Amino acid sequence: MFRTLSKIFLIILSGVIFTSCADAKVLSKDFINKQVTSQLNQQMKSSVKGELKTEIMPLYLNDTVVPDGKTKIKAYFKDRVFSPRKIATVDIIINGKTEKKLNMPINLKVYDEVWVTTGIVTRDKNFNLSNTELKRKDITNNYENVLRSKDDITEYVANKNFGISEIINKKYIKQKPDITKNSTISAIMQANTIQIAFEVQATESGCIGDMIKVKSPKYKRFYMGEVINKNMVLVKI
């Protein structure tokens, strides 16, 4: 009698397990990866300059068992602010019902055409088309501080020593001055309504609006002048 009941129980249990398996399916990690990365790229592309690549951290990407039915995956970030690592919410929806809600760590990488050095560029040396070039680079860790193709590289000066094939970082450059130290420039000396133009030598560099010291070889005197244009200062007396 006991053996008969045991057999009946096993038959019933096997039927339940078979029915349960028949009503479930497996979403492969490749399918999940394709759906999630595609949606996240679409969400972020309007706020990221360059080519964006998203990657689910491998430890968090696995085959997933869900009930059988019409499947939809919805993946999104809470915001569109770029960061090399973000957390995405992933909803697995079966027949219109959210069966699973996952938090997935996502790695983001950005590639773009940026200015890099072609040789060693020393501090205070001007960048030009001979010592720089545009190159596709991974700029993930310097995303906000690179010079891109739209930037005029010839308008900048190195503020440190750059090595070969180094990405030019905005933190270590400065705008090329309108007047360069030791260059011969024009000076306009103004006294009331009288103006006199003469040549002077700049003893320091400066941009428009700066006050710099200049020397007149003719009058053998130093003056303080305001940079009013490229290679031109106004001296008031």
mmCIF file of all heavy atoms in Angstrom, residues 189 198-201 203 213-224 235-237:
data_model
loop_
_atom_site.group_PDB
_atom_site.id
_atom_site.type_symbol
_atom_site.label_atom_id
_atom_site.label_comp_id
_atom_site.label_asym_id
_atom_site.label_seq_id
_atom_site.Cartn_x
_atom_site.Cartn_y
_atom_site.Cartn_z
ATOM 1 N N MET A 189 51.096 105.735 -27.414
ATOM 2 C CA MET A 189 51.205 106.536 -26.199
ATOM 3 C C MET A 189 50.155 107.641 -26.264
ATOM 4 O O MET A 189 50.087 108.399 -27.235
ATOM 5 C CB MET A 189 52.598 107.141 -26.061
ATOM 6 C CG MET A 189 52.802 107.903 -24.759
ATOM 7 S SD MET A 189 54.482 108.561 -24.610
ATOM 8 C CE MET A 189 55.407 107.047 -24.383
ATOM 9 N N PHE A 198 54.836 104.197 -31.598
ATOM 10 C CA PHE A 198 56.251 103.834 -31.686
ATOM 11 C C PHE A 198 56.406 102.344 -31.389
ATOM 12 O O PHE A 198 55.475 101.692 -30.901
ATOM 13 C CB PHE A 198 57.099 104.686 -30.718
ATOM 14 C CG PHE A 198 56.687 104.573 -29.275
ATOM 15 C CD1 PHE A 198 57.420 103.797 -28.388
ATOM 16 C CD2 PHE A 198 55.561 105.256 -28.792
ATOM 17 C CE1 PHE A 198 57.050 103.701 -27.052
ATOM 18 C CE2 PHE A 198 55.190 105.154 -27.456
ATOM 19 C CZ PHE A 198 55.932 104.383 -26.585
ATOM 20 N N GLU A 199 57.580 101.813 -31.694
ATOM 21 C CA GLU A 199 57.839 100.389 -31.484
ATOM 22 C C GLU A 199 58.430 100.143 -30.108
ATOM 23 O O GLU A 199 59.241 100.943 -29.613
ATOM 24 C CB GLU A 199 58.795 99.839 -32.545
ATOM 25 C CG GLU A 199 58.150 99.610 -33.892
ATOM 26 C CD GLU A 199 59.049 98.834 -34.836
ATOM 27 O OE1 GLU A 199 60.269 98.721 -34.543
ATOM 28 O OE2 GLU A 199 58.544 98.326 -35.859
ATOM 29 N N VAL A 200 58.005 99.028 -29.483
ATOM 30 C CA VAL A 200 58.538 98.637 -28.180
ATOM 31 C C VAL A 200 58.792 97.134 -28.187
ATOM 32 O O VAL A 200 58.330 96.415 -29.086
ATOM 33 C CB VAL A 200 57.569 98.983 -27.033
ATOM 34 C CG1 VAL A 200 57.421 100.488 -26.870
ATOM 35 C CG2 VAL A 200 56.208 98.316 -27.253
ATOM 36 N N GLN A 201 59.472 96.678 -27.182
ATOM 37 C CA GLN A 201 59.716 95.238 -27.014
ATOM 38 C C GLN A 201 58.946 94.755 -25.796
ATOM 39 O O GLN A 201 59.040 95.354 -24.718
ATOM 40 C CB GLN A 201 61.204 94.969 -26.837
ATOM 41 C CG GLN A 201 61.535 93.477 -26.790
ATOM 42 C CD GLN A 201 63.024 93.211 -26.673
ATOM 43 O OE1 GLN A 201 63.722 93.904 -25.932
ATOM 44 N NE2 GLN A 201 63.520 92.222 -27.394
ATOM 45 N N THR A 203 58.265 92.679 -22.642
ATOM 46 C CA THR A 203 59.089 91.965 -21.670
ATOM 47 C C THR A 203 58.325 90.792 -21.041
ATOM 48 O O THR A 203 58.889 90.044 -20.247
ATOM 49 C CB THR A 203 59.562 92.904 -20.558
ATOM 50 O OG1 THR A 203 58.427 93.405 -19.850
ATOM 51 C CG2 THR A 203 60.354 94.080 -21.140
ATOM 52 N N LYS A 213 54.438 94.898 -19.156
ATOM 53 C CA LYS A 213 55.562 95.842 -19.191
ATOM 54 C C LYS A 213 56.242 95.746 -20.558
ATOM 55 O O LYS A 213 56.491 94.655 -21.056
ATOM 56 C CB LYS A 213 56.557 95.530 -18.083
ATOM 57 C CG LYS A 213 57.731 96.529 -18.012
ATOM 58 C CD LYS A 213 58.745 96.117 -16.959
ATOM 59 C CE LYS A 213 58.197 96.355 -15.557
ATOM 60 N NZ LYS A 213 59.262 96.104 -14.525
ATOM 61 N N VAL A 214 56.505 96.915 -21.141
ATOM 62 C CA VAL A 214 57.203 96.969 -22.424
ATOM 63 C C VAL A 214 58.404 97.910 -22.312
ATOM 64 O O VAL A 214 58.446 98.783 -21.441
ATOM 65 C CB VAL A 214 56.257 97.452 -23.563
ATOM 66 C CG1 VAL A 214 55.117 96.469 -23.767
ATOM 67 C CG2 VAL A 214 55.718 98.848 -23.255
ATOM 68 N N LYS A 215 59.353 97.717 -23.212
ATOM 69 C CA LYS A 215 60.563 98.538 -23.198
ATOM 70 C C LYS A 215 60.736 99.241 -24.540
ATOM 71 O O LYS A 215 60.582 98.636 -25.598
ATOM 72 C CB LYS A 215 61.781 97.654 -22.930
ATOM 73 C CG LYS A 215 63.105 98.410 -22.919
ATOM 74 C CD LYS A 215 64.273 97.448 -22.736
ATOM 75 C CE LYS A 215 65.605 98.186 -22.764
ATOM 76 N NZ LYS A 215 66.752 97.268 -22.605
ATOM 77 N N SER A 216 61.044 100.539 -24.476
ATOM 78 C CA SER A 216 61.273 101.312 -25.694
ATOM 79 C C SER A 216 62.783 101.451 -25.939
ATOM 80 O O SER A 216 63.471 102.144 -25.179
ATOM 81 C CB SER A 216 60.655 102.709 -25.578
ATOM 82 O OG SER A 216 61.098 103.530 -26.640
ATOM 83 N N PRO A 217 63.315 100.773 -26.973
ATOM 84 C CA PRO A 217 64.738 100.931 -27.290
ATOM 85 C C PRO A 217 65.078 102.379 -27.657
ATOM 86 O O PRO A 217 66.171 102.860 -27.374
ATOM 87 C CB PRO A 217 64.927 100.003 -28.502
ATOM 88 C CG PRO A 217 63.801 99.037 -28.430
ATOM 89 C CD PRO A 217 62.653 99.812 -27.872
ATOM 90 N N LYS A 218 64.116 103.086 -28.274
ATOM 91 C CA LYS A 218 64.351 104.468 -28.706
ATOM 92 C C LYS A 218 64.478 105.412 -27.527
ATOM 93 O O LYS A 218 65.402 106.238 -27.464
ATOM 94 C CB LYS A 218 63.217 104.910 -29.627
ATOM 95 C CG LYS A 218 63.375 106.335 -30.164
ATOM 96 C CD LYS A 218 62.238 106.675 -31.114
ATOM 97 C CE LYS A 218 62.376 108.096 -31.660
ATOM 98 N NZ LYS A 218 61.287 108.436 -32.613
ATOM 99 N N TYR A 219 63.523 105.300 -26.577
ATOM 100 C CA TYR A 219 63.533 106.217 -25.438
ATOM 101 C C TYR A 219 64.249 105.626 -24.223
ATOM 102 O O TYR A 219 64.393 106.300 -23.201
ATOM 103 C CB TYR A 219 62.090 106.587 -25.058
ATOM 104 C CG TYR A 219 61.339 107.272 -26.183
ATOM 105 C CD1 TYR A 219 60.207 106.667 -26.744
ATOM 106 C CD2 TYR A 219 61.757 108.481 -26.682
ATOM 107 C CE1 TYR A 219 59.515 107.272 -27.776
ATOM 108 C CE2 TYR A 219 61.061 109.110 -27.727
ATOM 109 C CZ TYR A 219 59.945 108.492 -28.265
ATOM 110 O OH TYR A 219 59.279 109.100 -29.293
ATOM 111 N N LYS A 220 64.639 104.343 -24.349
ATOM 112 C CA LYS A 220 65.354 103.647 -23.274
ATOM 113 C C LYS A 220 64.586 103.736 -21.947
ATOM 114 O O LYS A 220 65.146 104.031 -20.896
ATOM 115 C CB LYS A 220 66.772 104.213 -23.115
ATOM 116 C CG LYS A 220 67.619 104.088 -24.374
ATOM 117 C CD LYS A 220 69.039 104.484 -24.139
ATOM 118 C CE LYS A 220 69.854 104.480 -25.425
ATOM 119 N NZ LYS A 220 69.787 103.217 -26.149
ATOM 120 N N ARG A 221 63.294 103.459 -22.051
ATOM 121 C CA ARG A 221 62.432 103.508 -20.870
ATOM 122 C C ARG A 221 61.471 102.311 -20.877
ATOM 123 O O ARG A 221 61.187 101.720 -21.931
ATOM 124 C CB ARG A 221 61.621 104.808 -20.837
ATOM 125 C CG ARG A 221 62.428 106.067 -20.546
ATOM 126 C CD ARG A 221 61.511 107.274 -20.392
ATOM 127 N NE ARG A 221 60.547 107.061 -19.316
ATOM 128 C CZ ARG A 221 59.579 107.944 -19.002
ATOM 129 N NH1 ARG A 221 59.472 109.073 -19.700
ATOM 130 N NH2 ARG A 221 58.761 107.700 -18.020
ATOM 131 N N PHE A 222 60.983 101.984 -19.677
ATOM 132 C CA PHE A 222 59.965 100.940 -19.533
ATOM 133 C C PHE A 222 58.608 101.607 -19.330
ATOM 134 O O PHE A 222 58.510 102.643 -18.666
ATOM 135 C CB PHE A 222 60.277 100.026 -18.348
ATOM 136 C CG PHE A 222 61.449 99.111 -18.572
ATOM 137 C CD1 PHE A 222 62.725 99.490 -18.188
ATOM 138 C CD2 PHE A 222 61.273 97.869 -19.166
ATOM 139 C CE1 PHE A 222 63.809 98.652 -18.387
ATOM 140 C CE2 PHE A 222 62.346 97.020 -19.375
ATOM 141 C CZ PHE A 222 63.619 97.420 -18.988
ATOM 142 N N TYR A 223 57.566 101.006 -19.877
ATOM 143 C CA TYR A 223 56.202 101.506 -19.723
ATOM 144 C C TYR A 223 55.280 100.323 -19.379
ATOM 145 O O TYR A 223 55.573 99.173 -19.718
ATOM 146 C CB TYR A 223 55.695 102.152 -21.017
ATOM 147 C CG TYR A 223 56.524 103.300 -21.519
ATOM 148 C CD1 TYR A 223 57.517 103.084 -22.479
ATOM 149 C CD2 TYR A 223 56.303 104.593 -21.058
ATOM 150 C CE1 TYR A 223 58.268 104.135 -22.963
ATOM 151 C CE2 TYR A 223 57.070 105.669 -21.547
ATOM 152 C CZ TYR A 223 58.046 105.418 -22.492
ATOM 153 O OH TYR A 223 58.810 106.461 -22.972
ATOM 154 N N MET A 224 54.176 100.647 -18.736
ATOM 155 C CA MET A 224 53.103 99.672 -18.547
ATOM 156 C C MET A 224 52.035 99.967 -19.584
ATOM 157 O O MET A 224 51.586 101.115 -19.728
ATOM 158 C CB MET A 224 52.500 99.760 -17.139
ATOM 159 C CG MET A 224 53.421 99.277 -16.039
ATOM 160 S SD MET A 224 53.928 97.532 -16.241
ATOM 161 C CE MET A 224 52.357 96.688 -16.088
ATOM 162 N N VAL A 235 49.629 102.855 -24.052
ATOM 163 C CA VAL A 235 50.338 103.404 -22.904
ATOM 164 C C VAL A 235 49.745 104.773 -22.571
ATOM 165 O O VAL A 235 49.740 105.675 -23.417
ATOM 166 C CB VAL A 235 51.860 103.556 -23.201
ATOM 167 C CG1 VAL A 235 52.568 104.185 -22.006
ATOM 168 C CG2 VAL A 235 52.451 102.186 -23.545
ATOM 169 N N LYS A 236 49.227 104.902 -21.342
ATOM 170 C CA LYS A 236 48.637 106.189 -20.936
ATOM 171 C C LYS A 236 49.594 106.897 -19.986
ATOM 172 O O LYS A 236 50.111 106.290 -19.040
ATOM 173 C CB LYS A 236 47.294 105.968 -20.265
ATOM 174 C CG LYS A 236 46.216 105.445 -21.197
ATOM 175 C CD LYS A 236 44.886 105.286 -20.477
ATOM 176 C CE LYS A 236 43.798 104.781 -21.419
ATOM 177 N NZ LYS A 236 42.493 104.645 -20.721
ATOM 178 N N ILE A 237 49.805 108.186 -20.244
ATOM 179 C CA ILE A 237 50.679 108.969 -19.348
ATOM 180 C C ILE A 237 49.957 110.263 -18.946
ATOM 181 O O ILE A 237 48.960 110.653 -19.543
ATOM 182 C CB ILE A 237 52.018 109.306 -20.040
ATOM 183 C CG1 ILE A 237 51.804 110.090 -21.344
ATOM 184 C CG2 ILE A 237 52.823 108.047 -20.297
ATOM 185 C CD1 ILE A 237 53.097 110.597 -21.957
#
